[in-house]
Amino acid sequence: MAGADGDDSLYPIAVLIDELRNEDVQLRLNSIKKLSTIALALGVERTRTELLPFLTDTIYDEDEVLLALAEQLGNFTMLVGGPEYVHCLLPPLESLATVEETVVRDKAVESLRKISQEHSPVDLEVHFEPLVKRLASGDWFTSRTSACGLFSVCYPRVSSTVKAEIRQHFRTLCSDDTPMVRRAAASKLGEFAKVLELDYVKSDIISLFTALASDEQDSVRLLAVEACVSIATLLPQEDLETLVMPTLRQAAEDKSWRVRYMVADKFSELQKAVGPEITKNDLVPAFQNLLKDCEAEVRAAAANKVKGKRLNIMLPFIRLIQYTNQHVKSALASVIMGLSTILGKDNTIEHLLPLFLAQLKDECPEVRLNIISNLDCVNEVIGIRQLSQSLLPAIVELAEDAKWRVRLAIIEYMPLLAGQLGVEFFDEKLNTLCMAWLIDHVYAIREAATCNLMKLVEKFGAEWAQNTIVPKVLGMANDPNYLHRMTTLFCINALSEACGQEITTKQMLPVVLKMSNDQVANVRFNVAKSLQKIGPVLDNNALQTEVKPVLEKLASDQDMDVKYFAQEAISVLPLA
Amino acid sequence: MALRDTSSLHQLKSPKRDLDTQPPDSSMEEESDTRKINNSFLRDHNYATEADIISTVEFNSSGELLATGDKGGRVVVFQREQESKSQSQRRGEYNVYSTFQSHEPEFDYLKSLEIEEKINKIKWLPQQNAAYFLLSTNDKTVKLWKISERDKRPEGYNLKDEDGRIRDPSTITSLRVPVLQPMDLMVEATARRVFSNAHTYHINSISVNSDHQTYISTDDLQVNLWNLEITNRSFNIVDIKPANMEELTEVITSAEFHPQQCHTFAYSSSKGSIRLCDMRQAALCDRHCKYFEEPEDPSTRSFFSEIISSISDVKFSHNGRYLMTRDYLTVKVWDLQMENKPLETYQVHDYLRGKLCSLYENDCIFDKFECVWNGSDSVIMTGSYNNFFRMFDRNTKRDVTLEASRENSKPRAILKPRKVCIGGKRRKDEISVDSLDFSKKILHTTWHPHENIIAVAATNNLYIFQDKVN
C-alpha cells in the first residue's frame, strides 16, 4: 500500500486496534465488534500470526467483551483464510472455553461447534478432536464442562477408533468428581445419545443415564429427567419398558421435590416420547400422584400440565385441588380455562362450569384474576353469558380490591371483557367502574384507566364514546381536585385520536382551552402538553385561531414549567 | 495427622520484619520430639484503629490461601510460600497476596440506618479455573470476588510511540498488532457479583453448597438460598418471623450446609438448639427434620442461663457425621444420629461461671466465639479471653490453653501452655482469673484443611502457628 494515501485508509483501523486495549470498556467492546474489519485490513496472514495470538491471551477482559469476542470468532473462518486454516481459531476459543462466566463459556462452545463443521475430516481429527480431549481432561472443571458440549459435533465425523475414545471421555465426565461437570454431562446426554449408534445407546448411554439418574446430588438427577425425553425417543418401543421406565418411575417418586417437579414440568414431552400405551399404564397414575404431591411447587407444575391429559381420569383430581393451597389453585386457574376447548360444550357445562364459578368466588384475588384473564377460551365454547351472573360480582370485587396491583390487573382485562360481553352489558354494569377508576387515589390506576378508555373507544367506536364517555370525562374538568382535572387532560390526550377531528375540535378543545386559566400550574402546563398532543388531530383553522393565542399566553406565564411546555408546543406545532 | 501432644506446641517464627535477622530456631531447638508452631505477625501495627480489627479468617480448600476480613471492610488474602529445598524452614510462611476493599459504609435512606462495612464472613468457593473466588458479606450484602493473576501485558500502539507521545497520523504507514510481553506478576481482585436486597436483618453467616451452584445467607430470622450466578433473585427457605414481632423468642445465629449432602443444612438458635433441614422434602424448610437440644439442668438455672446457652457458631465436621456448636462457656459435639444430647461437651473457660454478672455488665457475655475442626476432625479449637485459645483432642481428651500474643511468647519459639487459676493460691506461670484482660478476645480462628496450621485473629493481629517442621 502506498505511503501517501496509506494514512487515510489505515488511520481508522489503527484507532480500532489501539482501542482493543482502551480503558473504556465500551470502546473495547466496540473494537471487538469490528474485529472483522481489523482482520480484513490485516489480511489473512497477519490475522493468523499476530491478531489471533494476541486475542488468545486477552481473557482478562470484562465478560461482555469476552462474550462478543467468542461470538465473533465463530464467524471468522473466511478471515483466517478459509476452511483450510480454520483450526487457527481453536486456541483463542479454547482459552475462552475455560473462563468462569457461564455465558462466555457457552458462547465459546457454540462458536466451536459452528467452526467444527468447517473442519475437513482430517483437520477434525488432527486439530479439533485433540482440543476436545484437552478440555475433557483439563485440571479445572470449567474446561471439562465445556468439553461436554463438543462431543456430539465431532463424534459423527471421526474414525471408529477416535469414536471409542470420545465415548470413553464422555463416560469419564459422567462420573466426574465435581457436580458441575456431572450436570454438564447430564444436560448433554440426550444430545450425545442422538449421534451415537443405537447399539452404543443401549450399551453405553443407558448405563450412564441410570447412574446420573441416581446421582447423590438432586441437581444432577433432575437433569437426567430431561435426558430421558431424548433417550426415550431414540429407543424402539419394546426396549422402553426395560431400559427407561424403571428410571423414570424412580424419578417420579424421587425423595427430592425438585426432581419430581422436573417430571411434572416435562410431563407433556415425556408423554410424547414414550407413546400412548406406556402413558396410559404408567404415566397417568404417576401424574395423579404428582397432582397430589406434598410439595406445592410440584402440584403447581403438574396442574399446569393438566391440559391435554385424559380428562375423565383427571377430573376427580382437579376437583380435589380446590381444597389445596393458593399457589396451586392459581396455577390450575390459569390452565383450567383451556380445558373447555378440549372437553366440548356439554362436558364443560357439566364438569368445568361449577369449578369456574367456585374459583371466581375464591378468596385469593390471583385465582380469580387467572380465571378472568383466560375467559376468551370459554367464550369460544359455551359463550360468556353462562358465566356473566357470577362474573360480575367477581369483577366488581376485584375492581375495588384494596391492593392497587389487583385493580391494575383487572383494568388490563377490561377491553377483553368488554369485547366479549358486548356493549349493552358493559354500559349497564361496567361503565361506572371504568369511570370510578379515573378518580382512584393511585396514579398508576388513573393512568391505566385512561389507557383502558382509549381501548374501549377503539372497540366500540367514536359514536359510543361521544354518548357515554366524553361527557363524563369533560365533566371532571370542573372538579375541585386538581388531580381529577388533570385526569381529564390525560383522557383527552388518549382519546383524541380514537374519537377523530370532529369530537376533538367541537367538544374537547374548548374544555382544554378553558383550563389554561386554571390556578394550579401543574394543570396549566398539562394544558400546553395536551395541546401539543391533540394538535395534529385539529384542523388548521382551529390551530391558528384558538390554540395559538392560548399557547402564546401560556408562554409568558409566570411559572417556569408552564412557559417551558408552552414554548415546546409552539415549536412542535405548525403554527407559523 | 493428629495433634497428639498439645502441651508442647512450639512457636517457630519471628514477626515478618525480624525474619532475616533472627537466627532460625533459637535455643528451643534442642527439645527434640516436640512439635512446633509457626507464628507470623502479619498485621504489624503498634496501634490499632477500630477499622483494623479482624472480623473473620478463613483458609481455602487447599490451604494455600488464607483470607481475613476486617471492620474496615477490607479483605486481605495471604498466600503460602512455595516450598524451596534450601529453606525448608520457611515453608509455611504466609505472605500478603492481595488486599482489596470489599465493602464500603452505606446508608439505608428508607430505614435511616447506617450499614457498616465490617466483613462478617468470608467463604471460599471451590476452585473452578486458574483464578480464586470468594464470597464476602457485611450485614446486608454478599459479594463474589475473583482474585486472578496477570503476568503479561500488551505492548505497541499505532497512534502512540514507545514513550506515549502521540504520533502524527500521516506517518502511519503500516498497522501494528499489540504483542504480549511478560511483566511482573500482578494480582487483581474484581467484584464479579453483588447479591443484595434480600435481608431485612443482619447477615450472620454464609455457606456454599456442595453442589457448587448455590449458597445460603442467613440473618436473624431468615435463611435465603441463592444461585451463585443469579443476583436478582433468591429463595427464602427458612423464615421464623412470627406474625406478631412481640412473640419473638428466638433468633437464628448461624447456618451451614452439610459438606457432602447438598440437600442438608443446619441452623442454630439463640435458645441453644440446632435444627437440621432437608431441602428435598419441600421448597420451604420451615419444618426441620432433626432437632438437637440438650435438656436444661434445673439445678444450674440462673438469670444468665438463656444468654449463655445461645449458640454462636455451628460447624459440620469434614466427614459430615458430627456437628460442633459453641455457646458462651462450652463447645459441644453432636452426633447427627443422636438428637437428645451432645456426644461430647468441652469446657472452654468454666472459671468464668462465677463472673457472669460482671461479664453481663461489660457486654462480654454477648461475644460470639467461633469454633473450628482440624483436618481429620480429631481436634477442635475455639477462642477465649486474654488472647487465649483452646484446643481439645477428642481421642485423648487432652486439652490445652495457648496464648497468641507478642509480649508473652517469642516469635518462632514454642508456645507455652497457659493455666488460669481460681482462688487465692497462684502458682508460678499461672494467671489469676481476676487479671484476665477481657478486651483481648479471640473470636475468629481457622484450621488448615489438611495440615496442622492454624490462623488466630486477636483483635488487629493475625497469628499463624504451625506444627514444628522436621
Side-chain angles (χ1 to χ4, degrees), chain A residues 53 140 233 251 272 312 439 449 468:
Chain A
W140 310 119
T233 41
K272 239 176 259 154
N312 44 351
I439 51 169
T468 42

Side-chain angles (χ1 to χ4, degrees), chain A residues 195-230:
Chain A
V195 299
L196 238 58
E197 297 80 357
L198 187 60
D199 284 346
Y200 289 120
V201 173
K202 287 190 199 172
S203 61
D204 281 28
I205 295 288
I206 293 295
S207 66
L208 294 176
F209 167 64
T210 321
L212 289 169
S214 49
D215 196 277
E216 55 168 14
Q217 297 259 348
D218 350 344
S219 57
V220 178
R221 292 204 300 277
L222 63 88
L223 289 170
V225 175
E226 262 186 299
C228 186
V229 176
S230 8

Side-chain angles (χ1 to χ4, degrees), chain A residues 85-152:
Chain A
Y85 294 100
V86 65
H87 60 84
C88 298
L89 295 173
L90 298 178
L93 283 170
E94 182 176 356
S95 67
L96 286 168
T98 63
V99 302
E100 68 278 3
E101 192 58 47
T102 317
V103 280
V104 177
R105 251 176 13 236
D106 287 352
K107 187 57 85 180
V109 169
E110 193 186 313
S111 287
L112 279 170
R113 289 167 70 117
K114 205 163 162 187
I115 64 167
S116 75
Q117 305 305 328
E118 282 149 358
H119 281 71
S120 67
V122 177
D123 278 350
L124 201 68
E125 285 199 24
V126 177
H127 298 288
F128 197 85
E129 205 268 338
L131 164 127
V132 178
K133 278 192 215 160
R134 265 198 310 279
L135 286 174
S137 50
D139 281 343
W140 310 119
F141 70 74
T142 44
S143 84
R144 301 201 297 275
T145 50
S146 291
C148 293
L150 296 173
F151 293 121
S152 64

Side-chain angles (χ1 to χ4, degrees), chain A residues 7 10 17-18 21 46 57 60 63 98 100-102 140-142 179-180 183 217 255-257 295, chain B residues 128-129 133 146 150 154 156-159 173 175 180 192-193 210-212 229 262 279-280 282-283:
Chain A
D7 48 333
L10 286 183
I17 294 178
D18 282 4
R21 302 152 51 193
R46 291 190 67 194
D57 281 314
Y60 305 112
D63 301 333
T98 63
E100 68 278 3
E101 192 58 47
T102 317
W140 310 119
F141 70 74
T142 44
M180 281 288 185
R183 275 199 294 276
Q217 297 259 348
K255 230 180 151 179
S256 167
W257 69 269
E295 170 55 42
Chain B
Q128 50 183 328
N129 58 14
F133 292 83
K146 173 187 181 178
R150 181 188 287 211
Y157 280 100
N158 286 295
L159 306 179
T173 51
L175 292 171
L180 290 152
R192 299 287 304 177
R193 304 246 195 284
S210 61
D211 68 7
H212 298 189
E229 299 201 341
C262 65
M279 300 204 298
R280 291 176 302 184

Side-chain angles (χ1 to χ4, degrees), chain A residues 344-354 381-382 386:
Chain A
K345 188 171 179 176
D346 293 340
N347 275 328
T348 304
I349 293 175
E350 190 190 331
H351 296 294
L352 293 183
L353 198 57
V381 184
I382 57 168
Q386 294 272 9

Side-chain angles (χ1 to χ4, degrees), chain B residues 212-259:
Chain B
H212 298 189
Q213 194 177 32
T214 54
Y215 76 91
I216 48 173
S217 59
T218 308
D219 69 22
D220 296 343
L221 297 178
Q222 292 190 329
V223 180
N224 288 337
L225 178 71
W226 300 83
N227 186 310
L228 282 162
E229 299 201 341
I230 300 168
T231 56
N232 60 0
R233 188 149 67 135
S234 74
F235 296 95
N236 176 242
I237 50 174
V238 176
D239 187 352
I240 61 162
K241 187 175 176 174
N244 177 4
M245 277 301 264
E246 278 165 21
E247 290 162 16
L248 185 71
T249 56
E250 165 171 45
V251 296
I252 304 174
T253 54
S254 177
E256 194 182 47
F257 266 120
H258 189 282

